[in-house]
């Protein structure tokens, strides 16, 4: 059969509250045109993030009941630890409440003034944690990764030449090298196994630890299996093990490919660093056998980590995005191609070319998708990255709108509805107006800033 079906039946449903366009126009004004400020009950299809928003399986819910809430030495921790080590063979696994807590710990260990951390592309919380330590993050994704139309199969790859040249000059300031799989900020694009291994080789040649931000490791492994020479017959588990066995540690948000609603971890091999990290964990998150989590969360993740490497699940998961990307592309909507692992990225700067980047074409598109169809998406562009540390504002390299797919949550008719809303936007494209920011906080402004729609 050529139809790739959702490989699950639905046992529990969450009703969606239907709203009218007129109601949504009012809600948008109340939220000052910032979609983060909308109550989720006013959203029809919530594609703001794929983080923690997925559906757990019956087996995961059953595992929740086996959770042991002991402060120390709970069996839930050992089940979780074993599930992690089965895929990522690191010596020490420290559970955290989510990914950014693991990043904060990592940067307490490695960050600091005058330090520089290379990555393919830092995710925003990773960059914020690097910078909060006094260090600076630099991004070396390959040039194809910044070209929405390039069909390169691994657009998340690190540019090895640039990394190498940078290391030759600045290695004394580099405490570690990181790689984000998949490359979320660059469109959910994968990194090849060969590239992961080459980055590891460069790091180790300069005697630097190599850490992977592994949030979407299973989706990345699926693309390696589908696209990388010689990997097609291998199991996802084996590919995942290869990806991590050349690293010295990892940070993880288990809200993505842990198939959990909460959770994360920091894993590493070095005993001394692990001792420091444990002390930090106890101070900030919790005792090392629960970290920032309840025993029941650890058990849900232990099961999630087994389910996420299922090839049928991953094929369906990738197909959802590819389906929407193909349909939008056929309609003439500029989208990042090929489709990424967890989201569809629309090039709003190209589509809404009548709106200046400093009038936030991405935000204009995102708010219109909400007004017309109740879809909540996320601007990844000048609103998110435009404010510079010296206080000036600059257009971001791209103005994208991300429609992130929660895992196992929406069906194909929801995808068809999303496509239909884009058809409506296309009909009134030239009526869309830019916005300006009327109030913003000092950092991470996109979460809370208030907008006003520009008039002609
Ligand atoms: N790294 C990457 C690549 C991420 O995508 C995220 C989260 C994090 C780290 C931080 O993890 O949220 O558990 O603290 N990304 C979410 C998103 C929020 O919407 O893309 P966290």
């Amino acid at each position: 059969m050529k139809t790739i079906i959702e490989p699950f039946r639905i046992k529990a449903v969450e009703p969606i509250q239907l709203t009218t366009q007129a109601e949504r126009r009012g809600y948008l004004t109340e939220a000052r045109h910032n979609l983060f400020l909308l109550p989720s009950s006013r959203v029809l299809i919530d594609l703001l993030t794929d983080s923690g928003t997925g559906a757990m399986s019956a087996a995961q819910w059953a595992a929740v009941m086996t959770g042991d809430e002991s402060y120390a030495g709970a069996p839930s921790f050992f089940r979780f630890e074993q599930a992690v080590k089965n895929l990522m063979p690191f010596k020490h696994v420290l559970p955290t409440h989510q990914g950014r807590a693991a990043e904060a710990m990592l940067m307490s260990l490695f960050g600091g003034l005058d330090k520089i951390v290379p990555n393919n592309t830092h995710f925003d919380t990773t960059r914020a944690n690097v910078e909060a330590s006094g260090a600076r993050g630099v991004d070396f994704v390959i040039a194809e990764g910044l070209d929405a139309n390039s069909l390169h199969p691994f657009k998340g790859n690190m540019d090895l030449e640039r990394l190498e040249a940078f290391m030759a000059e600045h290695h004394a300031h580099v405490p570690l090298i990181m790689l984000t799989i998949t490359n979320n900020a660059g469109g959910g694009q994968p990194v090849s196994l060969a590239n992961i291994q080459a980055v590891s080789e460069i790091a180790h040649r300069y005697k630097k630890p190599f850490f992977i931000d592994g949030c979407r490791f299973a989706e990345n492994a699926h693309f390696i299996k589908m696209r990388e020479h010689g990997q097609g017959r291998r199991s996802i588990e084996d590919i995942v093990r290869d990806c991590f066995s050349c690293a010295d540690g990892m940070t993880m948000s288990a809200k993505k490919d842990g198939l959990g609603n909460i959770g994360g971890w920091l894993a590493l091999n070095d005993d001394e660093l692990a001792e420091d990290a444990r002390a930090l964990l106890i101070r900030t998150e919790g005792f090392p056998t629960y970290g920032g989590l309840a025993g029941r969360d650890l058990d849900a993740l232990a099961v999630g980590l087994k389910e996420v490497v299922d090839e049928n699940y991953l094929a369906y998961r990738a197909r959802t995005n590819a389906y929407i990307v193909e349909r939008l592309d056929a309609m003439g909507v500029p989208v990042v191609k090929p489709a990424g692992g967890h989201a569809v990225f629309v090039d709003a700067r190209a589509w809404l070319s009548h709106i200046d980047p400093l009038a936030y074409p991405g935000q204009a598109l995102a708010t219109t998708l909400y007004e017309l169809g109740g879809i909540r998406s996320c601007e990844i562009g000048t609103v998110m990255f435009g404010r510079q540390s010296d206080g000036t504002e600059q257009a971001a390299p791209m103005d994208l709108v991300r429609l992130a797919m929660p895992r196992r949550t929406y069906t194909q008719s929801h995808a068809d509805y999303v496509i239909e809303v884009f058809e409506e936007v296309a009909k009134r494209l030239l009526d869309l107006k830019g916005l300006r920011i009327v109030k913003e906080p000092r950092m991470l402004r996109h979460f809370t800033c208030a907008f006003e729609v520009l008039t002609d």
Side-chain angles (χ1 to χ4, degrees):
M1 297 297 159
K2 67 179 188 342
T3 305
I4 298 175
I5 60 170
E6 288 89 357
F8 48 79
R9 301 185 296 188
I10 295 167
K11 200 191 257 312
V13 295
E14 263 187 294
I16 293 173
Q17 204 179 310
L18 299 180
T19 50
T20 64
Q21 191 179 330
E23 284 167 340
R24 290 191 293 268
R25 198 172 299 134
Y27 299 153
L28 208 48
T29 309
E30 275 177 52
R32 313 288 305 267
H33 301 271
N34 186 330
L35 301 176
F36 284 100
L37 303 181
L38 279 175
S40 63
S41 56
R42 293 176 170 178
V43 176
L44 261 60
I45 310 242
D46 205 343
L47 308 181
L48 184 64
T49 178
D50 63 320
S51 180
T53 50
M56 292 214 296
S57 68
Q60 282 181 291
W61 283 112
V64 163
M65 280 309 293
T66 66
D68 180 311
E69 306 303 341
S70 303
Y71 188 91
S76 299
F77 171 74
F78 299 111
R79 288 190 282 266
F80 159 80
E81 186 189 38
Q82 197 188 7
V84 174
K85 287 185 173 181
N86 176 45
L87 294 171
M88 295 104 176
F90 295 116
K91 216 165 150 192
H92 307 279
V93 182
L94 286 69
T96 58
H97 79 280
Q98 58 183 79
R100 62 199 71 183
E103 294 165 1
M105 291 204 312
L106 186 69
M107 284 308 134
S108 300
L109 298 176
F110 286 105
L113 287 177
D114 291 335
K115 304 246 171 90
I116 313 174
V117 179
N119 201 326
N120 46 354
T121 314
H122 288 78
F123 179 67
D124 58 5
T125 59
T126 323
R127 188 181 303 284
N129 276 303
V130 168
E131 288 176 359
S133 80
R136 189 157 63 85
V138 287
D139 297 342
F140 294 129
V141 73
I142 55 170
E144 291 89 336
L146 297 174
D147 173 1
N149 290 312
S150 160
L151 292 176
H152 191 291
F154 293 102
K155 287 168 77 172
N157 277 358
M158 184 84 93
D159 186 328
L160 299 171
E161 272 177 37
R162 284 174 67 207
L163 177 66
E164 181 75 65
F166 181 83
M167 289 303 286
E169 197 174 337
H170 300 287
H171 62 92
H173 295 279
V174 174
L176 82 169
I177 296 182
M178 293 190 74
L179 193 60
T180 306
I181 66 171
T182 56
N183 186 24
N184 181 5
Q189 298 292 328
V191 181
S192 71
L193 180 56
N195 193 260
I196 295 173
Q197 289 167 338
V199 173
S200 163
E201 190 275 320
I202 294 175
H204 293 146
R205 188 150 33 82
Y206 284 94
K207 303 204 176 352
K208 306 293 177 186
F210 168 47
F211 272 68
I212 295 178
D213 173 342
C215 295
R216 298 177 179 85
F217 71 87
E219 291 164 12
N220 199 78
H222 167 81
F223 288 120
I224 288 175
K225 185 176 165 78
M226 293 298 129
R227 298 178 186 170
E228 192 159 348
H229 183 69
Q231 301 296 324
R233 289 173 190 273
R234 303 186 62 213
S235 73
I236 296 289
E237 279 105 321
D238 281 346
I239 294 172
V240 171
R241 283 183 203 114
D242 276 1
C243 293
F244 289 92
S245 61
C246 65
D248 301 289
M250 71 180 293
T251 54
M252 176 72 189
S253 168
K255 300 169 76 170
K256 284 85 170 174
D257 277 353
L259 297 181
N261 298 125
I262 195 75
W265 66 81
L266 172 69
L268 67 176
N269 284 330
D270 186 283
D271 295 334
E272 269 178 44
L273 279 174
E275 201 174 300
D276 292 348
R278 281 208 182 87
L280 208 55
L281 187 74
I282 293 173
R283 178 156 66 80
T284 56
E285 292 277 293
F287 190 73
T289 60
Y290 71 87
L293 294 170
R296 56 178 169 269
D297 301 323
L298 292 167
D299 266 307
L301 296 179
V303 176
L305 287 171
K306 294 189 184 93
E307 294 179 351
V308 78
V309 291
D310 177 84
E311 290 183 17
N312 294 324
Y313 157 73
L314 287 168
Y316 134 79
R317 169 97 181 127
R319 183 61 201 147
T320 310
N321 295 324
Y323 175 74
I324 298 174
V325 162
E326 279 165 22
R327 298 281 299 273
L328 294 185
D329 188 36
M331 215 192 282
V333 179
V335 276
V336 174
K337 290 181 283 185
H342 68 293
V344 171
F345 288 75
V346 179
D347 184 347
R349 188 177 296 172
W351 203 29
L352 277 59
S353 55
H354 62 289
I355 299 181
D356 186 84
L358 292 179
Y360 315 127
Q363 191 65 16
L365 176 58
T367 49
T368 305
L369 289 170
Y370 175 72
E371 185 183 325
L372 295 185
I375 299 167
R376 177 154 67 172
S377 55
C378 183
E379 192 261 13
I380 301 194
T382 305
V383 176
M384 199 178 265
F385 303 120
R387 181 64 69 208
Q388 308 300 304
S389 46
D390 64 3
T392 59
E393 180 157 36
Q394 263 176 34
M398 296 195 268
D399 276 298
L400 301 176
V401 169
R402 183 183 79 166
L403 300 114
M405 295 296 151
R407 292 169 179 77
R408 307 188 290 202
T409 301
Y410 293 112
T411 64
Q412 185 172 347
S413 74
H414 292 114
D416 286 325
Y417 174 86
V418 169
I419 293 158
E420 200 180 320
V421 174
F422 269 92
E423 283 165 359
E424 289 304 311
V425 177
K427 284 183 202 155
R428 55 196 92 185
L429 198 63
L430 292 177
D431 298 337
L432 267 61
K433 297 204 164 43
L435 301 103
R436 71 185 184 96
I437 293 180
V438 289
K439 194 162 176 287
E440 67 181 274
R442 269 197 305 271
M443 270 178 80
L444 297 172
R445 67 175 179 178
H446 53 286
F447 291 119
T448 53
C449 66
F451 297 90
E452 212 171 68
V453 179
L454 294 172
T455 47
D456 292 326

